[in-house]
């Protein structure tokens, strides 16, 4: 194969999981030309990945976005398309990408007419982590699945920003409290209690991070105001690249099911994940599943009446009160275990 196109527009965590696919393609097919159709925000994180042509698809542009993609594809034909997103918007974008082979999801994971836009499928796996699912997209091409290996390019300036906030002689604990869905969020009061415990008991340098969205700034300010220990609040002040450098230098991230958890895992930092609204075995930080507080089974049973084995794989428990099933004691106990095992 000479040319392969990847279609994965979002979200940050899922895009991070595609990096191993790119690295594996470059290793197994050294001369292959890789084009990646990606979302605007996600390109800010990995749009400078070496050896990859990126075509930005603006999801908010409506018909204009599709027209621009059509123009970008004029005169092209790929040997294969890895169609890694099942949303209707992505399926319509896939129709504009000319390729002899179009690899998509198995029937169980297909939706929004996905099956109409592919001609090969990945193997069905009833219980699979998202990263392993995306890694398997190479198999219908006769290639080995992508191993869990990451690379996110960073500049000296990105690392310099991180060093300004990291303590050289203390545990650096980063808290990214806000997920894209509010029902995945833990309360600011509980984050503050955990942060005070980490700083007081383990002398941790606690850093609060988040996007420039006002809602996230409000959450981080509330955590800071509720704390009695010192905290570094840089919410909204960093770029995605600077956040990545910060996580690369940090010891531990505390986070719900959100993109920074996957960035941290990719960069080698441990993640204390807070999971009740979603299943960490499917969407948790890949290299830190053992450090996740997992109340998902209890939440699923309470709010849906189903066990994990009875529910559809990947079913959410995004209900009011689900994340409250994670206590401060759950988190501090996991933090103590992590400190005992790693320090």
């Amino acid at each position: 194969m000479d040319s392969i196109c990847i279609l994965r527009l979002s979200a940050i965590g899922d895009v991070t999981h595609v990096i191993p696919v790119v690295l594996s393609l470059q290793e197994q097919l050294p001369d292959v030309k890789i084009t990646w159709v990606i979302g605007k925000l996600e390109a800010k994180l990995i749009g400078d990945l070496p050896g990859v042509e990126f075509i930005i698809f603006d999801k908010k542009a409506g018909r204009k976005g599709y027209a621009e993609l059509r123009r970008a594809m004029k005169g092209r034909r790929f040997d294969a398309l890895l169609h890694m997103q099942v949303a209707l918007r992505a399926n319509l974008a896939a129709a504009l990408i000319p390729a002899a082979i179009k690899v998509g999801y198995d029937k169980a994971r297909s939706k929004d007419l996905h099956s109409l836009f592919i001609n090969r499928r990945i193997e069905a796996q009833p219980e699979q982590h998202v990263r392993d699912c995306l890694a398997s997209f190479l198999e219908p091409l006769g290639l080995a699945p992508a191993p869990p290996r990451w690379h996110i390019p960073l500049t000296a300036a990105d690392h310099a920003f991180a060093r300004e906030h990291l303590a050289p002689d203390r545990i650096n604990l980063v808290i990214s409290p806000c997920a894209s869905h509010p029902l995945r969020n833990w309360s600011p009061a509980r984050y503050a209690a955990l942060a005070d415990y980490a700083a007081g008991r383990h002398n941790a340098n606690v850093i609060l991070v988040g996007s420039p969205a006002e809602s996230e700034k409000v959450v981080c300010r509330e955590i800071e105001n509720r704390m009695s220990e010192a905290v570094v609040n840089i919410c909204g002040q960093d770029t995605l690249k600077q956040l990545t450098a910060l996580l690369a230098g940090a010891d531990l991230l505390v986070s719900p099911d959100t993109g920074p958890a996957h960035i941290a895992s990719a960069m080698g930092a441990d993640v204390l994940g807070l999971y009740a609204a979603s299943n960490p075995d499917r969407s948790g930080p890949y290299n830190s599943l053992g450090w996740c507080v997992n109340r998902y089974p209890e939440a699923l049973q309470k709010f849906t009446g189903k066990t994990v084995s009875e529910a559809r794989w990947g079913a959410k428990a995004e209900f009011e009160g689900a994340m409250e099933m994670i206590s401060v004691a759950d988190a501090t106990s996991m933090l103590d275990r992590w400190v005992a095992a790693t320090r």
Side-chain angles (χ1 to χ4, degrees):
M1 290 193 172
D2 297 319
S3 61
I4 292 177
C5 183
I6 294 171
L7 175 61
R8 181 75 212 195
L9 304 175
S10 59
I12 289 293
D14 294 316
V15 163
T16 303
H17 291 321
V18 179
I19 295 173
V21 176
V22 171
L23 299 180
S24 186
L25 273 173
Q26 291 172 332
E27 186 175 83
Q28 296 187 65
L29 301 173
D31 298 324
V32 72
K33 295 178 181 178
I34 301 173
T35 298
W36 186 341
V37 180
I38 193 170
K40 192 174 182 180
L41 173 65
E42 292 73 14
K44 293 181 179 180
L45 177 65
I46 51 103
D48 55 352
L49 203 61
V52 181
E53 174 198 21
F54 286 89
I55 296 176
I56 295 175
F57 180 81
D58 188 352
K59 297 176 288 185
K60 298 179 180 180
R63 292 183 179 180
K64 182 180 177 183
Y66 291 101
E68 290 176 352
L69 179 60
R70 184 189 296 275
R71 282 193 293 271
M73 291 296 153
K74 188 175 181 180
R76 296 175 181 239
R77 185 164 182 81
F78 299 97
D79 293 317
L81 168 67
L82 304 183
H83 182 6
M84 294 177 157
Q85 195 151 355
V86 295
L88 181 59
R89 181 190 290 116
N91 288 331
L92 295 176
L96 302 176
I97 301 174
I101 299 170
K102 293 192 174 186
V103 180
Y105 287 88
D106 56 280
K107 290 183 179 180
R109 287 178 280 196
S110 296
K111 62 180 182 179
D112 292 342
L113 305 178
H114 180 74
S115 298
L116 299 179
F117 301 92
I118 61 174
N119 53 29
R120 292 192 190 181
R121 297 182 183 274
I122 60 172
E123 185 177 346
Q125 293 288 347
E127 297 180 0
Q128 192 175 40
H129 192 281
V130 172
R131 194 222 73 88
D132 294 333
C133 171
L134 295 174
S136 74
F137 268 73
L138 298 183
E139 293 181 291
L141 302 181
L143 302 173
R149 182 167 56 93
W150 285 266
H151 170 64
I152 299 176
L154 298 171
T155 66
D158 296 328
H159 289 294
F161 174 89
R163 286 194 296 270
E164 291 177 10
H165 304 290
L166 295 169
D169 55 350
R170 300 165 64 189
I171 293 173
N172 287 288
L173 186 150
V174 179
I175 296 178
S176 179
C178 299
S180 58
H181 197 303
L183 292 177
R184 298 179 195 170
N185 289 342
W186 211 33
S187 74
R190 295 187 184 190
Y191 274 120
L194 173 61
D196 273 339
Y197 182 87
R201 178 68 177 269
H202 298 296
N203 191 33
N205 174 42
V206 180
I207 306 168
L208 299 176
V209 299
S211 80
E214 187 58 31
S215 60
E216 298 200 16
K217 291 181 181 179
V218 168
V219 169
C220 287
R221 282 197 297 268
E222 185 174 351
I223 294 171
E224 181 178 17
N225 292 338
R226 286 176 174 271
M227 288 181 62
S228 57
E229 298 282 352
V231 64
V232 179
N233 183 356
I234 59 170
C235 180
Q237 301 175 31
D238 57 335
T239 66
L240 273 174
K241 290 287 197 181
Q242 290 168 337
L243 172 63
T244 301
L246 183 74
L247 294 174
D251 300 293
L252 183 68
L253 171 72
V254 177
S255 172
D257 185 2
T258 187
H262 304 293
I263 297 174
S265 186
M267 300 308 291
D270 290 331
V271 181
L272 197 166
L274 304 173
Y275 281 76
S278 54
N279 186 351
D281 291 333
R282 178 187 177 273
S283 59
Y286 192 77
N287 293 320
S288 291
L289 297 181
W291 300 123
C292 288
V293 176
N294 183 11
R295 294 298 182 196
Y296 172 73
E298 295 96 318
L300 195 67
Q301 181 71 54
K302 178 178 179 179
F303 293 103
T304 72
K306 295 182 179 180
T307 65
V308 175
S309 60
E310 291 170 341
R312 173 183 57 83
W313 182 249
K316 304 293 186 183
E318 292 174 338
F319 299 94
E320 290 286 351
M323 290 297 289
E324 293 175 10
M325 297 178 74
I326 301 174
S327 68
V328 173
D330 288 334
T332 57
S333 176
M334 185 63 77
L335 175 61
D336 289 339
R337 285 177 51 195
W338 176 85
V339 170
T342 63
R343 313 321 290 174

